PDB file of all heavy atoms in Angstrom:
ATOM      1  N   VAL A 556     -61.259  57.386  38.291  1.00 90.00           N
ATOM      2  CA  VAL A 556     -60.691  57.397  36.945  1.00 90.00           C
ATOM      3  C   VAL A 556     -59.615  56.301  36.873  1.00 90.00           C
ATOM      4  O   VAL A 556     -58.741  56.258  37.742  1.00 90.00           O
ATOM      5  CB  VAL A 556     -60.055  58.764  36.621  1.00 90.00           C
ATOM      6  CG1 VAL A 556     -59.436  58.751  35.225  1.00 90.00           C
ATOM      7  CG2 VAL A 556     -61.084  59.865  36.759  1.00 90.00           C
ATOM      8  N   PRO A 557     -59.700  55.440  35.884  1.00 92.00           N
ATOM      9  CA  PRO A 557     -58.693  54.359  35.809  1.00 92.00           C
ATOM     10  C   PRO A 557     -57.298  54.923  35.565  1.00 92.00           C
ATOM     11  O   PRO A 557     -57.137  55.923  34.856  1.00 92.00           O
ATOM     12  CB  PRO A 557     -59.136  53.533  34.608  1.00 92.00           C
ATOM     13  CG  PRO A 557     -60.472  54.019  34.209  1.00 92.00           C
ATOM     14  CD  PRO A 557     -60.649  55.380  34.778  1.00 92.00           C
ATOM     15  N   ILE A 558     -56.302  54.282  36.134  1.00 94.00           N
ATOM     16  CA  ILE A 558     -54.916  54.687  35.871  1.00 94.00           C
ATOM     17  C   ILE A 558     -54.290  53.809  34.801  1.00 94.00           C
ATOM     18  O   ILE A 558     -53.230  54.119  34.266  1.00 94.00           O
ATOM     19  CB  ILE A 558     -54.061  54.618  37.157  1.00 94.00           C
ATOM     20  CG1 ILE A 558     -54.124  53.203  37.769  1.00 94.00           C
ATOM     21  CG2 ILE A 558     -54.519  55.665  38.157  1.00 94.00           C
ATOM     22  CD1 ILE A 558     -53.103  52.981  38.876  1.00 94.00           C
ATOM     23  N   ALA A 559     -54.925  52.689  34.479  1.00 92.00           N
ATOM     24  CA  ALA A 559     -54.410  51.800  33.430  1.00 92.00           C
ATOM     25  C   ALA A 559     -55.501  50.805  33.090  1.00 92.00           C
ATOM     26  O   ALA A 559     -56.504  50.680  33.793  1.00 92.00           O
ATOM     27  CB  ALA A 559     -53.165  51.064  33.914  1.00 92.00           C
ATOM     28  N   LYS A 560     -55.289  50.109  31.979  1.00 91.00           N
ATOM     29  CA  LYS A 560     -56.268  49.101  31.565  1.00 91.00           C
ATOM     30  C   LYS A 560     -55.517  47.855  31.095  1.00 91.00           C
ATOM     31  O   LYS A 560     -54.582  47.952  30.296  1.00 91.00           O
ATOM     32  CB  LYS A 560     -57.102  49.664  30.426  1.00 91.00           C
ATOM     33  CG  LYS A 560     -58.374  48.871  30.149  1.00 91.00           C
ATOM     34  CD  LYS A 560     -59.194  49.538  29.051  1.00 91.00           C
ATOM     35  CE  LYS A 560     -60.349  48.668  28.611  1.00 91.00           C
ATOM     36  NZ  LYS A 560     -61.526  48.770  29.466  1.00 91.00           N
ATOM     37  N   GLY A 561     -55.907  46.714  31.641  1.00 90.00           N
ATOM     38  CA  GLY A 561     -55.314  45.439  31.216  1.00 90.00           C
ATOM     39  C   GLY A 561     -56.410  44.552  30.665  1.00 90.00           C
ATOM     40  O   GLY A 561     -57.486  45.030  30.287  1.00 90.00           O
ATOM     41  N   LEU A 562     -56.155  43.258  30.620  1.00 88.00           N
ATOM     42  CA  LEU A 562     -57.169  42.331  30.108  1.00 88.00           C
ATOM     43  C   LEU A 562     -58.122  41.942  31.225  1.00 88.00           C
ATOM     44  O   LEU A 562     -57.695  41.660  32.342  1.00 88.00           O
ATOM     45  CB  LEU A 562     -56.493  41.070  29.575  1.00 88.00           C
ATOM     46  CG  LEU A 562     -55.533  41.302  28.421  1.00 88.00           C
ATOM     47  CD1 LEU A 562     -54.717  40.046  28.142  1.00 88.00           C
ATOM     48  CD2 LEU A 562     -56.314  41.723  27.182  1.00 88.00           C
ATOM     49  N   PRO A 563     -59.422  41.920  30.941  1.00 87.00           N
ATOM     50  CA  PRO A 563     -60.397  41.513  31.960  1.00 87.00           C
ATOM     51  C   PRO A 563     -60.342  39.999  32.145  1.00 87.00           C
ATOM     52  O   PRO A 563     -61.128  39.268  31.576  1.00 87.00           O
ATOM     53  CB  PRO A 563     -61.729  41.964  31.372  1.00 87.00           C
ATOM     54  CG  PRO A 563     -61.512  41.992  29.893  1.00 87.00           C
ATOM     55  CD  PRO A 563     -60.055  42.240  29.654  1.00 87.00           C
ATOM     56  N   ALA A 564     -59.396  39.527  32.929  1.00 84.00           N
ATOM     57  CA  ALA A 564     -59.070  38.104  32.944  1.00 84.00           C
ATOM     58  C   ALA A 564     -59.970  37.276  33.842  1.00 84.00           C
ATOM     59  O   ALA A 564     -60.229  36.116  33.554  1.00 84.00           O
ATOM     60  CB  ALA A 564     -57.610  37.925  33.346  1.00 84.00           C
ATOM     61  N   SER A 565     -60.439  37.861  34.922  1.00 85.00           N
ATOM     62  CA  SER A 565     -61.353  37.133  35.806  1.00 85.00           C
ATOM     63  C   SER A 565     -62.253  38.168  36.451  1.00 85.00           C
ATOM     64  O   SER A 565     -61.767  39.109  37.090  1.00 85.00           O
ATOM     65  CB  SER A 565     -60.559  36.341  36.847  1.00 85.00           C
ATOM     66  OG  SER A 565     -61.466  35.685  37.718  1.00 85.00           O
ATOM     67  N   PRO A 566     -63.566  38.017  36.306  1.00 84.00           N
ATOM     68  CA  PRO A 566     -64.476  39.119  36.636  1.00 84.00           C
ATOM     69  C   PRO A 566     -64.595  39.392  38.129  1.00 84.00           C
ATOM     70  O   PRO A 566     -64.139  38.616  38.947  1.00 84.00           O
ATOM     71  CB  PRO A 566     -65.811  38.645  36.061  1.00 84.00           C
ATOM     72  CG  PRO A 566     -65.707  37.174  35.998  1.00 84.00           C
ATOM     73  CD  PRO A 566     -64.266  36.850  35.771  1.00 84.00           C
TER      74      PRO A 566
END
Side-chain angles (χ1 to χ4, degrees):
Chain A
V556 179
I558 56 169
K560 195 177 171 83
L562 299 169
S565 178

